[in-house]
Amino acid sequence: MFSKPDSTLVIVGHGSTLNPDSSGPTWEHADAIAQSGAFGEVHCAFWKEEPSLRQVLHCVTKREVYVVPNFISEGYFTQTVIPRELGLDGPQTNVAGRTVKYCAPVGSHARMTDLLLKRAAAVAPGVPPKETSLFIVGHGTGLNDNSAVAAKREVERIRALGIFGEVIAAYMEEDPLIAKWDELSTQPNVVVVPFFIADGLHSYEDIPVLLGIADSSPGAASANAAGVFAQNPYRLRGRMLFYANSIGTEAGFAEVILDQVAAFDAAAA
Amino acid sequence: MMDTNAALADWLDKGGRRIGQIVIAKKNDGWELRHADDAAREDLHLFTKSADARPLANLDDAGAYRALKTAPNLRHGWRLVLPDVASVRSALDAFYPAMIGVQLARERGELVPVNLRDTLARQTGMYRVTQRLTDAEAQVLIARSCCSDGGCLKTILWRISPELPVNSLPAEKFTARGGDEWPLLCHEACNILVAAARKVVKGDTKEG
């Protein structure tokens, strides 16, 4: 049992000024960890919401603080924004009398592979994996968030397990485009798992439109956000398509957050 | 390190009864929070868990998302009855994130206001362009975004630069509440203001 009663855990999310769904999973993981009693206290902090990264350390009452980014990939936010806003200069920084330990983001944890497999199985129960093309969808483009790298890494890991007929990385804004899912895949069943930290505009609206399972008029899909997942399976382009929630809504992320704290301690030992 | 719950209990014991748009009342079975506008209403929907605070805080009366929890648009029509100070603290952390911790840091002398120029100078990526915001643009932007009647209820503790205070808002905007009212403090421009500054610099006149 993980027990750090004299330490604070701060989970950092991106947040959104547009909808509460972006920060929702981060709060849920924080609540789960707080209820487990694993830490003396648990806080969240966000780039786009409050508590902000500039406020959160004022809320901390313990001298030892573990910061875990609830982000899919190492990149601009984990390497530039979060350290800058929290005043960190390395893995461990003294900030106003507190020892702040900066952990790796959740998305880089090896357990992501299991969570993706679990999500894929849950969204398409009873569907033979060998007759299924599994898509892991990242954002892509020059956001410097390395999300494409993270998606490719997971695809290689899952492919090596030999469970699915095929496993494919695809992106919203760079090749291979998820919009061409039917050209990229060959199996009769298609499972699509967004490799995002939260459900939001990308998973409610953008990807469904690219898949062809939602109307492309702005707001049409997000007006019925949960509906896009409730209507599985979709029969189109001669295939059976199953569309999953973003991987970050998986409850197992709370354990991954704790694992990243343990990994920090192991590396520091 | 301080005990946040003890500090809040001390304030409540001394008669603390208001934070932002919320009034707090001592009840036989604990504490009750409600919108100050609803003080006399008897038709309020009852909630009894501190976890109810976050969904209550997330949407305004029209069901629109409240990205800024200190915006003066807290929804009406509810009352939240909680058994103890710890659950009051948890609820207030959802209604007004970080505001308890920030005030306690101020009381300890640890809260260092950061002037707007320093905040903008630190920005990278898409927000680096905010460094081109002029002082005149900053005054107009702050008046529009941070005003208490429609923008944000926080008290501004920072200046535009060491030489230049914000002079586009009334003096009370810079004086922290006290006594029976817990102060909502802004020690540094938030990302919402920085994002709005980017729009000004980029000449984007769209609302939002």
Side-chain angles (χ1 to χ4, degrees), chain A residues 110-128:
Chain A
R111 203 190 293 204
M112 278 304 112
T113 312
D114 290 338
L115 294 178
L116 288 164
L117 288 170
K118 185 179 170 192
R119 180 53 58 92
V123 75
V127 175

Side-chain angles (χ1 to χ4, degrees), chain A residues 145-259:
Chain A
D145 67 354
N146 289 332
S147 68
V149 174
K152 280 192 192 92
R153 180 191 63 229
E154 293 305 325
V155 162
E156 284 165 15
R157 286 176 180 168
I158 296 172
R159 194 179 283 150
L161 297 172
I163 297 172
F164 285 90
E166 58 193 356
V167 190
I168 303 162
Y171 310 99
M172 292 171 54
E173 298 186 0
E174 70 180 55
D175 284 330
L177 291 165
I178 186 62
K180 298 181 178 174
W181 62 271
D182 53 333
E183 299 172 25
L184 297 168
S185 62
T186 61
Q187 298 296 320
N189 306 298
V190 175
V191 170
V192 179
V193 182
F195 198 34
F196 291 92
I197 216 70
D199 279 323
L201 285 179
H202 292 329
S203 63
Y204 288 153
E205 191 163 315
D206 300 336
I207 296 172
V209 168
L210 294 168
L211 290 170
I213 61 174
D215 196 313
S216 61
S217 63
S222 50
N224 183 24
V228 76
F229 306 112
Q231 292 168 34
N232 283 319
Y234 294 86
R235 291 174 177 81
L236 75 163
R237 303 183 196 174
R239 313 288 187 82
M240 189 93 89
L241 185 143
F242 301 80
Y243 182 53
N245 293 82
S246 289
I247 191 61
T249 61
E250 181 69 40
F253 263 57
E255 290 173 35
V256 174
I257 290 167
L258 296 180
D259 279 355

Side-chain angles (χ1 to χ4, degrees), chain A residues 50-52 54-56 58-59, chain B residues 19-20 68 70 96-114 152-158 172-178 181-190:
Chain A
E50 295 180 304
S52 73
R54 303 294 287 180
Q55 293 170 324
V56 70
H58 290 307
C59 304
Chain B
I19 176 169
L68 181 65
T70 47
Y96 293 112
M99 291 294 95
I100 294 176
V102 166
Q103 162 63 5
L104 294 179
R106 176 179 175 242
E107 289 180 353
R108 293 192 306 272
E110 294 175 4
L111 191 68
V112 181
V114 178
C152 178
L153 294 171
K154 287 196 198 82
T155 296
I156 295 177
L157 302 180
W158 41 269
E172 58 263 31
K173 185 67 184 175
F174 308 93
T175 306
R177 304 298 179 117
E181 184 166 352
W182 190 278
L184 306 177
L185 303 177
C186 177
H187 68 285
E188 179 166 358
C190 65

Side-chain angles (χ1 to χ4, degrees), chain B residues 3 14 20 38 51 70 77 79 99 103 145 162 171:
Chain B
D3 181 332
K14 290 175 179 166
D38 293 341
T70 47
R79 64 190 182 98
M99 291 294 95
Q103 162 63 5
S145 302

Side-chain angles (χ1 to χ4, degrees), chain A residues 14 47 71 73-85 102 142-147, chain B residues 122-128:
Chain A
H14 188 281
W47 173 232
F71 282 70
S73 54
E74 290 279 5
Y76 177 60
F77 281 100
T78 63
Q79 293 168 353
T80 301
V81 175
I82 296 171
R84 182 190 77 210
E85 297 294 292
Y102 190 42
L143 284 176
N144 186 29
D145 67 354
N146 289 332
S147 68
Chain B
R122 203 177 67 230
Q123 301 304 311
T124 54
M126 66 186 285
Y127 296 117
R128 190 191 297 276

